[in-house]
Amino acid sequence: MKNTLVLVRTDSFDKAMVALADLTRYGGIKILGDPRIIQPAISDWAFEKVVGEKPRKKPKAHVVAQIDLPPAKAIGRLRKIHPPAHVIVIPPESPAHEEIMRLWPTLEKLRGFHKPKVVSKEEENEEAEE
């Protein structure tokens, strides 16, 4: 089974990392592997293929990551959390998905991104009692 992709477009890589952390922390979306930096031209092309129109803004940071949810669920969760970046869900059947996955081994890993710590219910209860 192919994983769904998310494309994060924003002004800085710091904001991209915050957006990815928000997806995990508040959206309950698990990021699989390491997010990758993608070239702006490929990002714009993927945006156009998925959204159906040319992007109006020209962000400086473009990051792509694989996630564990089907596209419809990922979009629903994205709508609830409003991350500080433009996030596009790329479904596995999209030509953009195929092209990005073909390039995946050549894409540079996003340095400095650490998945947020997952706190278990027991740890949450212990912290609340203290």
Side-chain angles (χ1 to χ4, degrees):
M1 185 180 123
K2 294 180 180 179
N3 297 322
T4 303
L5 296 175
V6 288
L7 175 63
V8 180
R9 298 164 50 91
T10 188
D11 298 330
S12 71
F13 288 107
D14 287 338
K15 283 185 182 179
M17 286 189 275
V18 170
L20 289 169
D22 285 357
L23 292 180
T24 302
R25 189 177 296 126
Y26 304 117
I29 298 172
K30 184 178 180 186
I31 294 176
L32 307 171
D34 294 316
R36 307 289 174 116
I37 297 170
I38 192 168
Q39 293 81 8
I42 298 168
S43 173
D44 289 347
W45 175 81
F47 179 97
E48 196 172 333
K49 287 289 181 193
V50 174
V51 177
E53 59 184 52
K54 290 188 182 287
R56 290 186 209 127
K57 293 184 178 180
K58 294 287 183 191
K60 295 179 180 95
H62 304 264
V63 176
V64 67
Q66 296 183 47
I67 60 170
D68 68 336
L69 292 176
K73 277 191 177 182
I75 291 168
R77 292 190 185 179
L78 263 174
R79 285 185 174 152
K80 291 179 183 175
I81 63 170
H82 304 291
H86 194 188
V87 180
I88 296 119
V89 176
I90 302 175
E93 56 278 353
S94 164
H97 184 283
E98 194 175 305
E99 182 64 18
I100 291 169
M101 290 312 294
R102 189 182 67 75
L103 295 170
W104 191 265
T106 65
L107 299 175
E108 181 184 346
K109 290 181 181 178
L110 179 63
R111 293 189 188 143
F113 176 73
H114 303 288
K115 296 172 187 164
K117 179 183 171 191
V118 178
V119 179
S120 70
K121 294 290 180 190
E122 291 172 6
E123 289 177 15
E124 254 181 33
N125 291 337
E126 286 174 11
E127 289 177 6
E129 290 173 4
E130 291 177 1

